[in-house]
Amino acid sequence: MTADRLSFFDTTLRDGEQSPGCSMSIAEKLHMAHALDALGVDILEGGFAIASEGDSQALEAISREIRRPTIASLARARREDIESAARALESARRSRIHIFLASSDIHLKHKLKISRDEALENADSSVRLARGLVDEVEFSPEDATRTDPDFLSQMVAVAVAAGATIINLPDTVGYCLPQEYGAMFEMLRKRLPQLEGITLSAHCHDDLGMAVANSLAAIAAGARQVECTINGIGERAGNAALEEVAAALLVRGDCFPCSHGLVLERLYPTSQVLSEVISFGPSPNKAVVGSNAFAHEAGIHQHGVLANPLTYEIMTPASVGVPHNRMVMGKHSGRHALAHRLQQLGYSLDAADLDIAYHRFSELADRKKSIFDQDLLALVPERLRRFSAETDAAVATTSRA
Ligand code: KIV
Ligand code: ZN
């Protein structure tokens, strides 16, 4: 297989913003859009123009200021949504309307209360309308993964015939397993030869914790656009986390012959920008960008990482923009890590003194959850200690490192 180009479609400012506690002001969206631009995303979904005046204004501002990526607005398959999206995108260098329309019977019957035929008509007319107003049209059969495959094929065929050039197959409710999600892409490609030249896109939710695995399965099955959010924020359990998909492509490039345009060193800084904007960050154990993602406490691990980081790290912190790995001193830490940290703090202990310090350390670690550098300094045998401005400066510098 040749190395195809995979496009990263970021929906932090749309699907991500739809999650509780994640709403952003226009200025915050713009600030975040600049960070996403620097990260190198290909398509930036800035909002859902008709949903609010704020979203519409944010899309206008993003379209004016962010010139490299394609700017997208979500729209239902309705004239008013599509016209509102087109107006908000007028200044974009390259514009995309992303139309979604439910395709599963459960959504058609209980939510939209329309027949399958009516849905096909709406898909056709909305894509035709949008095609004349922006540079490109993306079509999403919402709840694709719970849609009858025959009807899904029919709806996709209608959208393509009407002019959609990107077909997104959302796992709207996070229901799919990776092998099923990949198979859906293969099934459609087999059934519909007209998909040759059309970009297929993955959009996964994390209700069963499989959003990233499903996205990767889709890429392996031929998807060449992946829709993600920073820190995995999004409806309910969230969307596929962009940083995790990108890291998987970095570490397991052997399985995914795709190139992309992300600046991987911007992953962590972008995650930090989002955490600041929405006032909450990822959980500490979150892959790639969580505070523990490159932290080691267990003695055996610390010893290994000090000898060679490859023992317990599958990517370097620097490769994803994390400034350093972190040796956390706690009850699982060993002598090597203690000696290393004390050395960083200015104390090279011989074996006997290290024995004393380590004994004190073990006692302390049993009592105390968080052990700080000042605690460690107090473990050094008294005759060696030199508490001074110099030591305080060493603590301050190495704590920041
Ligand atoms: O999850 C979903 O189905 C969506 C669509 C609007 C693409 O977010
Ligand atoms: Zn979604």
Side-chain angles (χ1 to χ4, degrees):
M1 254 199 272
T2 50
D4 291 346
R5 179 69 154 70
L6 175 73
S7 295
F8 272 86
F9 176 115
D10 183 90
T11 183
T12 307
L13 302 183
R14 198 278 298 169
D15 221 346
E17 204 215 10
Q18 283 174 216
S19 55
C22 292
S23 64
M24 298 174 222
S25 67
I26 298 170
E28 287 168 337
K29 277 198 168 191
L30 197 55
H31 180 54
M32 195 60 213
H34 277 286
L36 292 166
D37 184 16
L39 173 63
V41 303
D42 300 280
I43 303 102
L44 203 164
E45 189 167 53
F48 188 177
I50 197 138
S52 72
E53 190 49 35
D55 252 25
S56 173
Q57 285 181 18
L59 276 160
E60 282 173 30
I62 292 169
S63 297
R64 271 194 310 272
E65 281 198 27
I66 310 291
R67 306 304 289 169
R68 185 194 49 79
T70 297
I71 310 299
S73 170
L74 189 68
R76 288 168 298 182
R78 295 185 183 183
R79 173 173 287 278
E80 62 271 28
D81 281 40
I82 291 166
E83 288 176 347
S84 162
R87 274 194 303 277
L89 296 171
E90 244 160 35
S91 314
R93 186 191 57 77
R94 188 162 182 83
S95 55
R96 177 185 297 189
I97 291 182
H98 174 194
I99 298 172
F100 73 105
L101 174 62
S103 53
S104 66
D105 288 331
I106 192 165
H107 275 231
L108 291 177
K109 185 166 171 219
H110 299 287
K111 188 182 77 172
L112 297 182
K113 301 185 194 329
I114 59 172
S115 66
R116 285 183 173 189
D117 282 347
E118 284 172 294
L120 293 179
E121 271 168 39
N122 289 353
D124 178 66
S125 58
S126 58
V127 172
R128 281 182 200 283
L129 173 64
R131 196 185 56 181
L133 300 176
V134 283
D135 294 311
E136 57 198 28
V137 179
E138 170 172 337
F139 182 81
S140 289
E142 190 191 14
D143 204 18
T145 51
R146 293 192 301 170
T147 299
D148 164 36
D150 290 336
F151 184 62
L152 181 65
S153 309
Q154 248 181 305
M155 193 181 254
V156 167
V158 165
V160 170
T165 54
I166 305 101
I167 295 292
N168 182 45
L169 302 173
D171 186 23
T172 303
V173 290
Y175 169 76
C176 237
L177 303 179
Q179 64 272 28
E180 292 168 344
Y181 196 56
M184 183 174 66
F185 284 76
E186 272 155 15
M187 177 273 290
L188 283 175
R189 289 202 313 159
K190 213 175 271 171
R191 283 190 185 198
L192 302 174
Q194 60 271 48
L195 289 179
E196 189 66 44
I198 298 292
T199 302
L200 292 182
S201 168
H203 178 115
C204 299
H205 283 270
D206 211 29
D207 301 67
L208 294 177
M210 274 184 263
V212 170
N214 284 340
S215 302
L216 294 171
I219 295 168
R224 287 299 171 262
Q225 173 176 288
V226 61
E227 305 197 352
C228 308
T229 60
I230 300 298
N231 294 351
I233 64 167
E235 286 278 2
R236 305 179 310 280
N239 287 59
L242 183 145
E243 58 280 0
E244 294 181 17
V245 174
L249 296 177
L250 167 71
V251 174
R252 298 310 310 270
D254 54 327
C255 301
F256 305 98
C258 298
S259 64
H260 61 74
L262 292 184
V263 181
L264 295 180
E265 295 79 6
R266 295 294 311 160
L267 287 172
Y268 180 71
T270 312
S271 158
Q272 296 284 100
V273 172
L274 178 66
S275 303
E276 213 176 286
V277 165
I278 60 177
S279 303
F280 70 90
S283 61
N285 61 328
K286 164 86 173 57
V288 188
V289 294
S291 58
N292 286 351
F294 294 94
H296 307 278
E297 188 194 307
I300 294 170
H301 289 211
Q302 290 182 330
H303 183 198
V305 170
L306 288 172
N308 183 340
L310 285 177
T311 50
Y312 288 101
E313 287 178 354
I314 57 172
M315 59 195 135
T316 64
S319 66
V320 290
V322 175
H324 52 80
N325 59 23
R326 223 160 41 91
M327 294 295 159
V328 179
M329 299 308 297
K331 69 174 184 182
H332 304 109
S333 304
R335 296 166 58 94
H336 281 97
L338 179 64
H340 182 77
R341 186 72 193 134
L342 286 175
Q343 197 165 30
Q344 286 180 324
L345 296 172
Y347 290 95
S348 295
L349 303 191
D350 64 23
D353 286 332
L354 186 60
D355 273 348
I356 297 170
Y358 189 67
H359 179 70
R360 291 173 174 176
F361 170 74
S362 302
E363 279 181 350
L364 180 69
D366 267 339
R367 285 184 277 119
K368 202 165 180 284
K369 256 198 174 80
S370 306
I371 298 189
F372 302 104
D373 288 340
Q374 292 295 357
D375 298 318
L376 296 181
L377 289 172
L379 306 172
V380 173
E382 290 71 6
R383 67 189 158 72
L384 299 177
R385 276 190 234 159
R386 48 175 203 294
F387 288 114
S388 64
E390 197 186 303
T391 315
D392 284 347
V395 172
T397 318
T398 56
S399 309
R400 275 199 305 271

